[in-house]
Amino acid sequence: MLSAQADRVMALGEWEERWQEDRTGWHQPQVHKMLENNIEKVLAGRSQVKFFFPLCGKALDMKWLADMGHSIVGVEISEKAIKQFFEENNLSYSEEMVPALPGAKLYKSSARNISLYQCDLYNFSSAIEGQFGGIWDRGSLVAINPRDREKYVALITSLMDKDCRYLLDTLLYNPELYKGPPFFVPDEHVQNLFGKSCDIELLHSIDALTDRQKAWGLDFFIENLHLITPKTN
């Protein structure tokens, strides 16, 4: 079933266009329940964890974690999304160029615990911000072009500290009926992508079908939450 979407490609410009036109149906106006309900599993007793948010948009989850004392690093292609995040949360911020990332900009909250990079995700690396103790991947793996998944996984695993706890949200539906994004990512594919270097635990599987997905022509839509951790051996 993966073959149904294998050749689907979204250019970065198309994502920027969606933000410019406010066609951002994936954005949630509240903290994601999956994160809220599983935060203890991610923190595992740790405080002041450094979290990575790939394709962060303007997710409220970033401020929620920062307010707990964690530090946040996000990567997003849309300048509008990043500025809206700070403005809508009444956070003052600075803006600077990033010498190590030509063309990139860094938006940093004055409190200094939220740093959002406006750049192509694949230009980001551990050389920029080191490795992370936590990753929240909601709307990232399911948004990237399917043919780029191996490249994506190589980047994400390179950003994982040895004690990293990576929360991954994936979607199950019939890809013959909807071309995506968000894209169909079955559990066995998660295993194929991450299983060599990481342990994977399925935490939750919920029926997430709403009128929005019904309008796409879907009759089922399952949201799965995985906890991914580096193998210790």
Side-chain angles (χ1 to χ4, degrees):
M1 290 179 85
L2 286 170
S3 61
Q5 296 177 337
D7 298 323
R8 175 82 168 109
V9 172
M10 281 276 289
L12 287 178
E14 291 180 75
W15 287 110
E16 290 187 274
E17 202 173 88
R18 288 189 179 200
W19 277 105
Q20 287 302 328
E21 297 171 359
D22 293 319
R23 290 188 294 128
T24 54
W26 62 85
H27 173 71
Q28 295 202 347
Q30 68 279 322
V31 175
H32 197 289
K33 280 284 176 223
M34 289 275 217
L35 176 64
E36 213 170 21
N37 294 341
N38 291 279
I39 188 60
E40 293 310 323
K41 287 192 177 74
V42 180
L43 295 179
R46 299 173 298 165
S47 58
Q48 297 180 315
V49 174
K50 186 165 76 163
F51 275 92
F52 182 59
F53 276 69
L55 308 187
C56 62
K58 57 176 183 176
L60 294 176
D61 308 356
M62 295 189 287
K63 182 173 186 296
W64 184 68
L65 286 169
D67 286 345
M68 290 182 193
H70 307 296
S71 57
I72 309 299
V73 174
V75 173
E76 169 59 49
I77 195 61
S78 169
E79 181 179 48
K80 181 178 180 180
I82 291 174
K83 288 185 171 178
Q84 282 185 344
F85 169 77
F86 288 111
E87 289 158 7
E88 291 173 7
N89 288 292
N90 298 311
L91 296 170
S92 58
Y93 64 92
S94 62
E95 188 179 323
E96 61 193 67
M97 303 308 285
V98 187
L101 283 173
K105 284 185 190 169
L106 169 60
Y107 297 81
K108 192 182 285 190
S109 71
S110 303
R112 295 292 174 124
N113 62 339
I114 303 176
S115 300
L116 305 185
Y117 288 82
Q118 185 208 352
C119 66
D120 182 333
L121 178 65
Y122 299 116
N123 291 338
F124 192 79
S125 73
S126 58
I128 308 299
E129 284 276 356
Q131 292 180 309
F132 296 87
I135 300 174
W136 174 214
D137 186 330
R138 184 258 161 185
S140 186
L141 177 62
V142 298
I144 62 157
N145 296 325
R147 69 184 186 191
D148 291 335
R149 284 179 186 156
E150 282 76 13
K151 179 167 69 167
Y152 179 87
V153 169
L155 170 64
I156 293 293
T157 52
S158 76
L159 295 174
M160 295 173 74
D161 206 347
K162 62 182 185 303
D163 66 346
C164 182
R165 298 177 76 77
Y166 168 26
L167 208 56
L168 170 66
D169 193 34
T170 58
L171 303 170
L172 304 180
Y173 60 84
N174 184 348
E176 305 284 349
L177 300 178
Y178 178 66
K179 65 180 182 177
F183 296 110
F184 162 73
V185 182
D187 293 355
E188 56 270 24
H189 194 49
V190 174
Q191 188 66 45
N192 290 342
L193 289 169
F194 291 99
K196 194 172 286 186
S197 61
C198 297
D199 293 319
I200 304 160
E201 179 187 355
L202 178 63
L203 296 179
H204 293 288
S205 185
I206 63 163
D207 178 357
L209 185 69
T210 69
D211 289 342
R212 182 170 177 244
Q213 288 83 35
K214 288 175 184 173
W216 298 344
L218 298 178
D219 52 6
F220 76 93
F221 191 76
I222 306 294
E223 194 169 356
N224 279 356
L225 189 71
H226 312 265
L227 179 65
I228 299 178
T229 52
K231 287 186 189 291
T232 49
N233 54 6

